[in-house]
Amino acid sequence: MGRFYITTPIYYVNDAPHVGHAYCTVNADSLARWHRLVGDETKFLTGTDEHGQKVADAAAKNEMSPQAWTDQTSARFREAWDALGISYDDFIRTTEPRHYESVQKFLSTIHDNGYIYKDTYKGLYCVSCEDYFTIESSVDGRCPIHGRALIEMEEENWFFKLSAFEDRLISYYEEHPGFVTPETKRNEALSFIKGGLRDISITRTSISWGVPVPWDANHVFYVWYDALINYLTGIGYGRNDEEVVRWWPSSHHLIGKEIIRFHCVWWPAMCMAAGLEPPSHVQVHGWLLVGGQKLSKTMAAEGAVRLTDISPVVLTSEYGVDPIRYYLLRETSLGNDGEFSLEGITQRYNTDLANNLGNLVARVTTIVATKCDGIGPVPRSDSSLRPLAEEALVNAAGAWERFSPQSALEATWGLIGATNAYLEQHAPWKMEPGDALQGVIGDALEAIRLVAVLASPAMPEVCREIWRRIGLSGSPDAELFESSAVWGRYRGSTSIVRGAPLFPRIASDQ
Ligand code: MSP
């Protein structure tokens, strides 16, 4: 048993949460739940990124003060995560005093270490990215990501000597091959570093909506520079050093592919400059696309996609929490882009949930009610289902450990398929009550129990209900994986609950 500290990016509060944000948060949540299940001491941090030009502009547009606007929008993220059953341990807001304290401490240390200096900066700025571009990296003077016109800005700024870390970063990557996964993204980050690093401007005088620079009252920190430090604020940096020592070596950042440069180049260099080890791992994910386009708020505003149609809260109220969680985790492997569609949700729901899982539970509980006096029989130790269940346990556990919820669910659904095939083969609905029938049904109940354990990080509510239906008390995540994920632990002898369908089918034209 170890320790596991997982973070999501902190979300900009210029607009409401959408399903792209939910994708990242649900993945992080399932991983946190897996690690709790195996007994790791776990901390899961998410939150909101509340400074910067983009948020200040959104507040002005809505005729609100930045603070009132961020209070309101940050609350919408919490509401979305509550609707999705997100089990975060801490929710950080970058406007909190604890964050100011950590940022000022961290950056004063880098300043004292000699990695910060003053200079004049001139460049092309994209407010949506909160980032500068060179004319070469722009597309005809427009942002390559958002397509909006870049603004020419000139400021006297404080700079971070990123260029001083080129060699150290390359060595770090070589010594820590698993620092960034998947490997394609690691190579992308590494080739960016090898291409040469320029110092970065880390403060602003053009806006006041930011964390004040402790050594220069006219400046606030640039939003990205303050935001990255949230990962340390969450474990008490500058306030409780013991906590930092405890959690930092087990840190895992889950991030989208467009913010690789910040997390895989700037952030490890910033940590080195402050005398800290870089985070232990960055897992990069792709984008959910609608009709081939990223669900970006800017594009939505331009009418390319209607994000209001795909708010996480609306989705969960239409399809249920766990079906949406399942869809987000199962449809796309972490690292690749995936297509999001309502048709896709319906298809996954009807096939994997209603036909495979729901039907399995319904069949077995019905036979127990009609042919076993409502009491669950015990599994057999020599069942032909056992090796298949054991293989699924090994494969799913391995996939969860490798940050691959999609493969973990694939292995789990393999066991569901095998159990349905086992029932087809033995046709217990045609058998007379007796030992043979009891054996087949006991085996199926045991397989269902193991499925509930394996799927619990993805679908906690449904798995709890399955647990109850097969006559068990507590929940599949209340016991450690090591002791529950063993064939033969189902003891039978308790009353089975024959409930309403777990997943009533959805008409496919919905
Ligand atoms: N505030 C910064 C992150 C700072 S972390 C120190 C930011 N915020 S964001 O709200 O724009 O994006 C947050 C995360 O949401 C990113 O990882 C991004 O990839 C993810 N997603 C936003 N739209 C997405 C999709 N359409 N699909 C999947 N994830 C996407 O960047």
Side-chain angles (χ1 to χ4, degrees):
M1 274 173 244
R3 221 167 255 148
F4 186 73
Y5 174 37
I6 184 152
T7 65
T8 69
I10 45 173
Y11 301 102
Y12 283 131
V13 290
N14 58 315
D15 211 341
H18 60 66
V19 75
H21 303 136
Y23 173 70
C24 179
T25 310
V26 167
N27 269 288
D29 183 67
S30 71
L31 291 163
R33 287 178 187 268
W34 167 258
H35 282 272
R36 292 189 196 111
L37 185 65
V38 294
D40 288 341
E41 198 185 347
T42 300
K43 190 190 251 308
F44 171 20
L45 177 74
T46 188
T48 42
D49 189 355
E50 307 191 349
H51 292 123
Q53 188 71 51
K54 180 153 65 169
V55 172
D57 287 353
K61 200 168 135 209
N62 287 278
E63 295 177 357
M64 288 173 85
S65 71
Q67 190 62 60
W69 171 259
T70 55
D71 287 349
Q72 176 180 302
T73 317
S74 178
R76 297 187 68 180
F77 277 86
R78 277 183 193 256
E79 186 196 335
W81 304 157
D82 289 349
L84 278 163
I86 305 299
S87 62
Y88 56 81
D89 297 296
D90 193 357
F91 187 100
I92 180 157
R93 300 186 53 191
T94 54
T95 48
E96 288 174 70
R98 63 171 170 157
H99 184 60
Y100 277 48
E101 216 178 303
S102 292
V103 168
Q104 293 185 337
K105 175 78 199 310
F106 184 88
L107 291 167
S108 297
T109 307
I110 299 185
H111 185 235
D112 295 347
N113 289 347
Y115 292 111
I116 289 178
Y117 65 95
K118 203 172 196 178
D119 205 352
T120 300
Y121 195 83
K122 200 171 165 185
L124 297 170
Y125 198 72
C126 169
V127 175
S128 290
C129 292
E130 295 280 14
D131 197 10
Y132 280 104
F133 287 87
T134 56
I135 192 72
E136 299 78 45
S137 62
S138 76
V139 178
D140 298 330
R142 291 183 166 268
C143 166
I145 296 169
H146 297 92
R148 62 189 284 176
L150 297 169
I151 303 164
E152 205 167 304
M153 301 242 283
E154 181 170 353
E155 287 185 285
E156 186 174 62
N157 286 159
W158 288 93
F159 280 73
F160 171 58
K161 279 191 199 166
L162 183 63
S163 58
F165 292 89
E166 229 170 84
D167 293 344
R168 270 179 273 182
L169 284 171
I170 293 170
S171 313
Y172 189 82
Y173 269 78
E174 278 160 7
E175 284 155 22
H176 301 83
F179 173 47
V180 177
T181 54
E183 190 156 353
T184 47
K185 306 296 180 197
R186 170 188 185 267
N187 295 341
E188 190 181 318
L190 191 54
S191 59
F192 183 83
I193 300 166
K194 288 184 172 165
L197 298 177
R198 298 199 327 182
D199 293 349
I200 47 180
S201 123
I202 61 165
T203 66
R204 298 285 179 269
T205 46
S206 51
I207 59 168
S208 55
W209 184 236
V211 181
V213 174
W215 62 85
D216 186 344
N218 297 325
H219 290 247
V220 293
F221 285 111
Y222 163 48
V223 59
W224 261 105
Y225 223 68
D226 111 50
L228 288 162
I229 301 166
N230 90 86
Y231 303 129
L232 286 171
T233 308
I235 49 171
Y237 181 88
R239 307 182 318 277
N240 184 347
D241 290 346
E242 269 172 38
E243 282 294 283
V244 177
V245 171
R246 210 161 111 87
W247 291 105
W248 196 235
S250 338
S251 49
H252 301 266
H253 301 320
L254 182 60
I255 62 155
K257 65 179 185 181
E258 83 283 20
I259 52 179
I260 288 182
R261 189 163 42 98
F262 299 110
H263 285 84
C264 306
V265 183
W266 292 20
W267 183 225
M270 286 164 68
C271 290
M272 288 172 179
L276 270 183
E277 275 285 298
S280 78
H281 172 216
V282 181
Q283 169 72 42
V284 182
H285 67 73
W287 286 339
L288 281 191
L289 306 168
V290 172
Q293 275 192 307
K294 185 184 173 230
L295 301 177
S296 104
K297 295 169 211 163
T298 315
M299 288 197 254
E302 287 162 7
V305 282
R306 291 185 39 141
L307 281 167
T308 43
D309 290 345
I310 34 183
S311 112
V313 177
V314 172
L315 274 184
T316 55
S317 64
E318 279 179 16
Y319 295 91
V321 179
D322 282 357
I324 292 300
R325 291 174 57 103
Y326 177 76
Y327 172 76
L328 292 174
L329 297 172
R330 179 68 198 271
E331 197 67 10
T332 314
S333 81
L334 268 192
N336 295 338
D337 287 347
E339 183 67 29
F340 175 91
S341 71
L342 298 183
E343 296 74 25
I345 300 179
T346 302
Q347 204 190 338
R348 280 275 169 212
Y349 181 102
N350 282 340
T351 310
D352 297 10
L353 301 182
N355 290 358
N356 295 341
L357 177 57
N359 206 12
L360 172 63
V361 174
R363 269 170 152 182
V364 173
T365 51
T366 302
I367 296 171
V368 176
T370 54
K371 297 190 171 197
C372 308
D373 299 326
I375 304 296
V378 287
R380 296 174 290 198
S381 61
D382 59 352
S383 168
S384 61
L385 201 49
R386 179 177 181 166
L388 301 175
E390 288 172 344
E391 189 188 328
L393 287 170
V394 170
N395 290 343
W400 280 117
E401 288 296 326
R402 290 193 315 274
F403 286 72
S404 185
Q406 187 201 37
S407 323
L409 293 174
E410 226 168 70
T412 307
W413 258 252
L415 176 56
I416 294 172
T419 312
N420 272 323
Y422 182 79
L423 291 175
E424 291 297 332
Q425 185 195 343
H426 293 281
W429 39 89
K430 288 189 194 152
M431 293 166 84
E432 292 301 319
D435 287 352
L437 172 75
Q438 297 263 333
V440 170
I441 293 300
D443 296 345
L445 282 166
E446 176 61 322
I448 292 174
R449 185 187 69 85
L450 293 170
V451 163
V453 172
L454 286 176
S456 65
M459 301 204 299
E461 288 303 324
V462 165
C463 292
R464 208 164 291 153
E465 175 58 13
I466 294 174
W467 207 247
R468 190 182 74 87
R469 289 198 185 186
I470 62 173
L472 297 172
S473 59
S475 64
D477 50 8
E479 207 180 321
L480 285 186
F481 184 74
E482 197 183 33
S483 54
S484 67
V486 178
W487 181 273
R489 287 290 149 90
Y490 184 72
R491 299 268 174 255
S493 313
T494 52
S495 297
I496 298 293
V497 180
R498 201 178 153 189
L502 285 173
F503 305 101
R505 281 181 69 83
I506 303 175
S508 50
D509 58 346
Q510 266 185 37

